[in-house]
Amino acid sequence: MFSIKPLNSTPLLRSPNLTRHRTRCAEPRWQRVSRSVQIKAVISGSGESQNQSAATSTSLDSKETKNGSSLISSSSSDGDDGIIEVKAVVRIRKKMKEKLIDKVEDQWEYFINGVGQGIQIQLISHQIDPATNSGKIVQSNVRGWLPKPTTVSYIVEYAANFTVPSDFGSPGAVLITNLHAKEFYLLEIAIHGFKGGPVFFPANTWIHSRNDNPESRIIFNNQAHLPSQTPAGIKDLRREDLLSIRGTGKGERKQHDRIYDYAPYNDLGNPDKNEELVRPVLQGEEWPYPRRCRTGRPPTSLDPLSESRIEKPHPVYVPRDETFEEIKQDTFSAGRLKALFHNLIPSLAATLSSSDISFKCFSEIDKLYIDGVLLNGEEQGGINNLLLGKMMNQVISAGGRLLKYEIPDIIKKDRFSWLRDNEFARQTLAGVNPVNIELLKEFPIYSKLDPDVYGPPESAITKELLEKELGGMSLEKAIEEKRLFILDYHDTLLPFIKKMNSLPGRKAYASRTILFNSKTGIMRPIAIELSLPQTPSSPRNTRVYVHGHDATTNWIWKLAKAHVCANDAGIHQLVNHWLRTHACMEPFIIATHRQLSTMHPIYKLLHPHMRYTLEINALARQNLINGGGVIEASFSPGKYAMELSSAAYKNMWRFDMESLPADLVRRGMAEEDPSMPCGVKLVIDDYPYAADGLLIWSAIKEWVESYVEHYYSDPNSVTSDVELQAWWTEIKTKGHYDKRNEPWWPKLKTKEDLSGILTTIIWVASGQHAAINFGQYPFGGYVPNRPTLMRKLIPQENEPDYENFIHNPQLVFLSSLPTQLQATKVMAVQDTLSTHSPDEEYLGQVNPLHAHWTNDHEILKLFNKFSARLEEIEEIINARNKDSRLKNRSGAGVPPYELLLPSSGPGVTGRGIPNSISI
């Protein structure tokens, strides 16, 4: 049995990315068949029959049946003994929240379906009709005055009756034609009456209107077939469906399309609007990047290489089934509205001043969580001037105060934890960005950048300085015992620092941070190196800071840590979160739809892990990573954010290193050990992200290996799978075109190769994304703990600001952090990105509405084993979080590490692993 999520008041729904409206590429096989026979599609409303299409010349007769269906097959028997009665039950999802016009349209649809003029269905057999050399076909229409009610109010069922010859065979596909004027959402079709029980055709797809696209939709049953094992009767349909999904690569896509194709990131800038919004096209040798889903919009007027933008609230095209479902849309809209509320807070705090202001004391930050911002008549008048509409005023006047933030987990139990060095270090292992810390293997530390451009390659951190912080241990001993670690952003950031610091209100350094793990298992930072680009007068523009013991050096140390946190936040968001999960996963999703049939077993395996990703990425291009968007406004790199992300893709990203064990070994955080379950042993046992992640990784790996073994038992089955080989080739040569010639791409020759590739894909989409996404607000919601940018350099003794720093270090510290507007804006975004939707689907769980995804009982057993293992892992993680020996996840005021707990409820929970990158 599956682990099924129960339906609550807002049941989970999934909008899988099955097949969409076909373009007119090759003529469909079934249409060629239809021309070779006489078709009498009979509509049975009040017992009368009429021809739906004109008869064509043929040597065969089509037998009109007593229930109003027609047989389009030469194999029917002459007597009633040679036929069987079957029924198709069609499940359709309606809107949950219907307006009056929706209800009126529903009544009209019920009527049209009732008289048999709304939905046409053709059953296609696995078996070939010798007269047509295609699958046997029977046709009928949905009819009946009222749909059958279901236990879920917004799901209705219709029926279509068929009379089929007894030698028809098993139905392998249905062709469904929507004769209505608008689309509808098809959940599944169940065919009852064939020997062996019902046959299910899971759809979970929008069926376009014939007015938008005259082609019928092809839906296959839930039996998986490798290409070479495809039943003869549906082989042509398999090929035709894939051709329709790929499109022609031309023209602008329409909202009803289901075309998957590639395009570069050429829609981030808006040169036609403002020269300040010009952004480079991310492709090629200079700015390589993964490809995104093609929309086909026309170019801008000023730059023919840039695509014109569609600004909110108008939607960016994604293939129709990729769009958010109703519950997700409501959740995301609520999050955007919440962001709108939050963006007003600094304006109100500044008495609606036009200029942005800094936090002047810590109590002003606390006020965001404790009091909110109270409104008086004067302030409400100011809100009216902001033209925010009546809804905003009604919400405010009813609530009496502006919406306030939830207290982030990081300060909920210990509001001063962020000040401590051990908490700074703990977050490199158990925070929202636990994937950059590395073992320090060699000393001195050298840069790989060109010394003629960036100055001396050797770090300014010296052996003498470090040994003062090692408590009597020699540097050589500390390295030998694997006690020194580094957070190194020097080479990534230094090429961008000059450009970043030229932006108003931005000041940053390229940083290196050395951390020491004591014998008691407590890690702390012991040295921070902050570098600026060299100048003619200063070829080494670098300073090294340590935690001093007097007040002045203590405050400077806090500022140095804040600069490191700002660098960490930028790398986390632009590289580890956006690039390595969202952007790099998109080509895999596009290729899966273009090259793997929906009946392919690997498509069925990957399908849950592709949900919503293209839509959330399109929204990000529209609102977050675009020129002038939230990321540029709120993070250190500003307008150079995506250039930095591109440089990271060029210099760092490798698919073979995206597997968790490989990444840990690359960073020196684990050693290869064949005796361990995942083949690696951690250097630091109390590394919550890695320890819990390896549990999830091993469960995914076991599930994938057993799944692949089931379908690819023959030695040459992987290399002979034409769809699979085309899929892997397209990922490398189209989806990641700028990396197409890299030698590190894994080969795809054996089932072991395939299992490794699939395990990595599923891990990135599920566990990896969860670990670096859902902690954004719990850790970043308190600005001093994790500022996303710094606005001032650290004051030096020979500078005018130094006296101000000595006089009021707290004010200088706060004025170096993001402004109130910047802080509240990014907090609102982090809150939205950290929120689980009520319709989320989690690793190891299946939505009950999609329970018929496969008819293979052995696969169901394997999945149940996977699900049970994840439940065991949840118990293991909960036990670890209560283990007092594990200081990085337990202790006074320490939040437990829950980001890799498999399950979660809705909201900002800081836990849960969704199947896909869905937010």
Side-chain angles (χ1 to χ4, degrees), residues 163-183:
T163 300
V164 302
S166 58
D167 63 350
F168 180 79
S170 177
V174 297
L175 302 182
I176 185 163
T177 306
N178 176 10
L179 306 177
H180 292 288
K182 68 174 188 176
E183 66 184 0

Side-chain angles (χ1 to χ4, degrees), residues 345-346 349 357-369 783-784 791 810-824 827:
I345 292 176
I357 59 172
S358 304
F359 292 107
K360 293 183 174 60
C361 58
F362 285 98
S363 61
E364 287 187 349
I365 302 175
D366 295 339
K367 188 177 181 180
L368 299 176
Y369 320 107
V783 181
R791 296 189 297 132
Q810 175 177 291
L811 184 61
V812 170
F813 180 86
L814 290 171
S815 65
S816 300
L817 300 180
T819 65
Q820 292 195 24
L821 179 59
Q822 290 168 332
T824 52
M827 287 165 66

Side-chain angles (χ1 to χ4, degrees), residues 153-405:
S153 61
Y154 52 86
I155 296 176
V156 296
E157 291 182 350
Y158 292 96
N161 296 313
F162 296 83
T163 300
V164 302
S166 58
D167 63 350
F168 180 79
S170 177
V174 297
L175 302 182
I176 185 163
T177 306
N178 176 10
L179 306 177
H180 292 288
K182 68 174 188 176
E183 66 184 0
F184 64 83
Y185 191 87
L186 178 64
L187 285 171
E188 72 174 5
I189 297 175
I191 309 295
H192 299 268
F194 284 100
K195 186 178 180 180
V199 181
F200 292 99
F201 294 79
N204 303 299
T205 183
W206 288 97
I207 305 297
H208 62 269
S209 167
R210 187 173 59 173
N211 297 342
D212 291 326
N213 184 343
E215 305 292 350
S216 300
R217 283 294 309 280
I218 304 169
I219 308 293
F220 298 106
N221 72 19
N222 60 349
Q223 184 174 355
H225 297 286
L226 294 175
S228 61
Q229 300 167 350
T230 309
I234 58 174
K235 187 172 292 185
D236 284 355
L237 292 178
R238 179 173 188 148
R239 181 171 59 253
E240 183 192 331
D241 192 46
L242 285 174
L243 287 173
S244 72
I245 288 172
R246 295 170 194 163
T248 62
K250 299 177 181 179
E252 183 173 357
R253 298 270 57 89
K254 305 295 190 295
Q255 291 301 313
H256 65 265
D257 282 342
R258 56 189 289 264
I259 306 299
Y260 293 77
D261 204 353
Y262 302 96
Y265 277 74
N266 62 349
D267 63 343
L268 301 180
N270 195 346
D272 290 350
K273 183 176 182 179
N274 190 324
E275 66 178 10
E276 286 297 314
L277 295 179
V278 173
R279 298 293 182 270
V281 174
L282 300 185
Q283 68 173 348
E285 186 176 349
E286 183 178 7
W287 300 118
Y289 218 62
R291 296 302 186 258
R292 49 117 176 151
C293 187
R294 180 184 178 274
T295 64
R297 296 193 302 268
T300 61
S301 299
L302 297 179
D303 181 5
L305 297 180
S306 292
E307 187 174 87
S308 57
R309 286 181 54 78
I310 292 181
E311 302 295 350
K312 56 185 180 181
H314 303 293
V316 176
Y317 168 80
V318 292
R320 184 65 182 97
D321 289 339
E322 305 296 336
T323 55
F324 289 162
E325 294 177 26
E326 193 174 347
I327 295 177
K328 182 73 169 182
Q329 287 175 341
D330 290 346
T331 302
F332 199 77
S333 296
R336 292 204 319 221
L337 181 61
K338 192 172 183 180
L340 180 61
F341 282 144
H342 289 165
N343 289 346
L344 289 176
I345 292 176
S347 299
L348 293 170
T351 319
L352 300 174
S353 168
S354 60
S355 61
D356 201 6
I357 59 172
S358 304
F359 292 107
K360 293 183 174 60
C361 58
F362 285 98
S363 61
E364 287 187 349
I365 302 175
D366 295 339
K367 188 177 181 180
L368 299 176
Y369 320 107
I370 300 170
D371 297 329
V373 180
L374 296 176
L375 303 177
N376 56 40
E378 179 182 350
E379 289 170 332
Q380 289 195 12
I383 290 174
N384 290 334
N385 294 333
L386 293 175
L387 302 176
L388 294 171
K390 294 182 179 179
M391 184 180 68
M392 171 72 79
N393 294 327
Q394 289 169 356
V395 173
I396 290 172
S397 60
R401 65 175 62 198
L402 200 62
L403 187 64
K404 62 183 180 181
Y405 287 94

Side-chain angles (χ1 to χ4, degrees), residues 66-94:
K66 60 186 178 182
N67 70 343
S69 67
S70 62
L71 305 182
I72 310 176
S73 173
S74 63
S75 304
S76 57
S77 303
D78 293 333
D80 287 345
D81 292 339
I83 60 174
I84 57 175
E85 304 289 338
V86 300
K87 175 182 286 189
V89 177
V90 182
R91 304 186 79 204
I92 292 175
R93 191 189 73 203
K94 312 298 293 185

Side-chain angles (χ1 to χ4, degrees), residues 31 277 345 463 472 578 732 781 797 844 868 877-878 883:
Q31 288 185 342
L277 295 179
I345 292 176
K463 176 182 178 181
W578 168 256
K732 296 180 292 183
E797 291 187 25
I877 294 174
N878 284 329
D883 189 339

Side-chain angles (χ1 to χ4, degrees), residues 626-659:
N626 58 300
V630 173
I631 299 300
E632 287 192 1
S634 306
F635 287 80
S636 289
K639 65 185 291 186
Y640 306 106
M642 292 303 290
E643 292 181 22
L644 188 149
S645 189
S646 171
Y649 179 69
K650 180 178 183 178
N651 298 322
M652 299 165 52
W653 187 82
R654 303 176 39 150
F655 178 77
D656 63 328
M657 291 292 111
E658 292 301 291
S659 87

Side-chain angles (χ1 to χ4, degrees), residues 585-643:
M585 183 56 59
E586 185 155 345
F588 289 89
I589 295 171
I590 298 171
T592 299
H593 285 282
R594 286 170 53 87
Q595 297 297 339
L596 299 182
S597 167
T598 57
M599 70 173 80
H600 197 291
I602 301 307
Y603 179 95
K604 289 181 176 291
L605 175 69
L606 290 179
H607 184 260
H609 307 290
M610 304 187 292
R611 182 183 187 232
Y612 288 158
T613 304
L614 297 191
E615 172 80 340
I616 197 66
N617 286 3
L619 288 168
R621 298 201 314 274
Q622 190 175 41
N623 301 316
L624 294 179
I625 63 170
N626 58 300
V630 173
I631 299 300
E632 287 192 1
S634 306
F635 287 80
S636 289
K639 65 185 291 186
Y640 306 106
M642 292 303 290
E643 292 181 22

